[in-house]
Amino acid sequence: MELTLLGTGAGRPSKLRNVTSMALRLPTPSSSVWLFDAGEGTQHKLLDTPIKLNRIDRIFITHLHGDHVFGLPGLLSTRAYDGGVDPVTIYGPPGLQKMVDTLFELSGSHIAYDIHYVETVEGILFDDGQFRVEAAALEHRVPCFGYRVVEHDRPGRLDVGKLQDAQVPAGPLYGRLKAGNDIELPDGRKVCAKDVMGPSIRGRIVTILGDTKPCEGAVKLAHDADLLVHEATFGAGLEEKAEAYGHSTTLQAAEIAKQAGAHKLVMTHFSSRYELADANRLADEARTIFPATDAASDGDVFAIPCRS
């Protein structure tokens, strides 16, 4: 499970940073890719990664500002040429479907696969048994949401030593125990799954926020997150400017991570006033409050390991 930052700039693309987009690669058995935001040039940035458009089956849009959504129509159109024939589900604020459908209609574009739109609302958006996705409203200049991806806990490993001691023959019975089912052996003895399984493997949590001022919705979504992606458009000392434009500073992002008890903070959405060489300074500002902080650059990949 890993997150690739495709664009880490704010407002407009630059030679150093593209506008916002990121891709979350899920573990087996799904091995799907979920895209979060799709600023202009997102499909070009994907060409620099191993990620294939046909692996993207869910797209989550935080809000309708152009630096987060103008790359979506082109990406959807190209997806069909990249072997994308399976349906894709797109989550986003009101007006997203109208925007995309209007552009396709006026340009005469034909999409040869099904696109399902789901209007984002606060609460649980879906739960497929492996992952649950929750949304909450943030505070920006237009309706904006953040997303919390929660992996369900998984059964622990079978203790082969205990199985051998109990003289459980290898084969289908192992599979039934792994699935959490108790079994009965030919001699009448019963073996309970809980007695031969290790501790459950705790699911991971990834929180991806759209543009926002510090707010309760951000803290709620980021609670206990293994990885929190938070915008940091401005550096420390520019809190008034951040407030005026509905954004956050490095220190404010760090405060949210600290309040939420997150485990790692990745800052993104940096103003074009900052050079790549400023990244270390911006990260150091946040680390005075939340030490486990990185300032992301385009192309950075962050692994989300399982919790022990």
Side-chain angles (χ1 to χ4, degrees):
M1 190 174 179
E2 62 184 25
L3 184 72
T4 301
L5 277 293
L6 301 169
T8 56
R12 59 183 181 179
S14 70
K15 293 182 179 179
L16 304 176
R17 298 181 185 274
N18 197 42
V19 286
T20 298
S21 183
M22 61 202 80
L24 180 65
R25 297 180 68 174
L26 302 182
T28 54
S30 73
S31 300
S32 295
V33 175
W34 292 353
L35 192 68
F36 292 81
D37 283 338
E40 183 181 358
T42 292
Q43 63 175 311
H44 292 86
K45 284 292 186 177
L46 282 167
L47 295 174
D48 296 326
T49 75
I51 298 170
K52 302 299 183 183
L53 281 176
N54 61 2
R55 299 303 304 170
I56 298 174
D57 57 13
R58 295 185 192 271
I59 300 173
F60 300 84
I61 300 299
T62 61
H63 63 296
L64 298 187
H65 277 162
D67 58 326
H68 293 255
V69 76
F70 280 175
L72 180 61
L75 183 147
L76 292 173
S77 179
T78 303
R79 182 176 181 267
Y81 293 98
D82 200 29
V85 295
D86 295 327
V88 63
T89 304
I90 304 176
Y91 305 81
L96 177 62
Q97 180 176 357
K98 179 181 179 181
M99 183 196 77
V100 176
D101 285 352
T102 299
L103 184 57
F104 284 163
E105 179 183 354
L106 295 176
S107 64
S109 300
H110 175 68
I111 305 300
Y113 58 86
D114 292 333
I115 301 176
H116 305 295
Y117 290 91
V118 178
E119 190 171 294
T120 300
V121 294
E122 291 197 286
I124 297 175
L125 292 180
F126 79 94
D127 189 332
D128 64 3
Q130 185 181 8
F131 287 94
R132 181 177 74 251
V133 176
E134 305 168 13
L138 304 175
E139 294 186 15
H140 191 44
R141 291 175 292 150
V142 298
C144 186
F145 292 90
Y147 297 99
R148 174 182 173 90
V149 180
V150 181
E151 181 184 33
H152 286 276
D153 293 346
R154 289 171 291 160
R157 297 179 182 275
L158 282 174
D159 189 325
V160 177
K162 289 183 178 180
L163 293 172
Q164 291 174 343
D165 290 343
Q167 298 180 334
V168 178
L173 293 180
Y174 277 34
R176 291 177 57 190
L177 289 166
K178 178 67 176 176
N181 299 313
D182 299 339
I183 64 170
E184 183 173 336
L185 299 176
D187 60 10
R189 289 182 296 122
K190 292 184 178 180
V191 179
C192 296
K194 65 180 180 63
D195 294 333
V196 294
M197 299 283 288
S200 296
I201 300 172
R202 187 174 180 185
R204 291 160 284 191
I205 301 172
V206 179
T207 298
I208 298 172
L209 304 180
D211 292 359
T212 187
K213 301 187 292 186
C215 64
E216 287 302 314
V219 177
K220 175 184 176 182
L221 290 173
H223 174 68
D224 196 33
D226 294 270
L227 180 65
L228 164 64
V229 180
H230 196 299
E231 70 127 287
T233 308
F234 300 106
L238 294 178
E239 283 73 21
E240 288 188 8
K241 182 176 287 292
E243 170 72 22
Y245 288 96
H247 289 300
S248 298
T249 67
T250 53
L251 297 183
Q252 290 172 330
E255 285 284 2
I256 293 295
K258 182 178 180 180
Q259 290 178 38
H263 297 260
K264 184 176 182 62
L265 167 64
V266 172
M267 298 188 302
T268 185
H269 199 267
F270 298 107
S271 167
S272 58
R273 70 177 60 202
Y274 300 112
E275 303 287 336
L276 288 181
D278 295 319
N280 288 336
R281 175 177 62 82
L282 295 170
D284 286 341
E285 289 176 358
R287 288 170 186 153
T288 62
I289 295 173
F290 191 79
T293 298
D294 280 331
S297 297
D298 290 13
D300 283 352
V301 179
F302 295 92
I304 304 107
C306 293
R307 298 189 186 187
S308 57

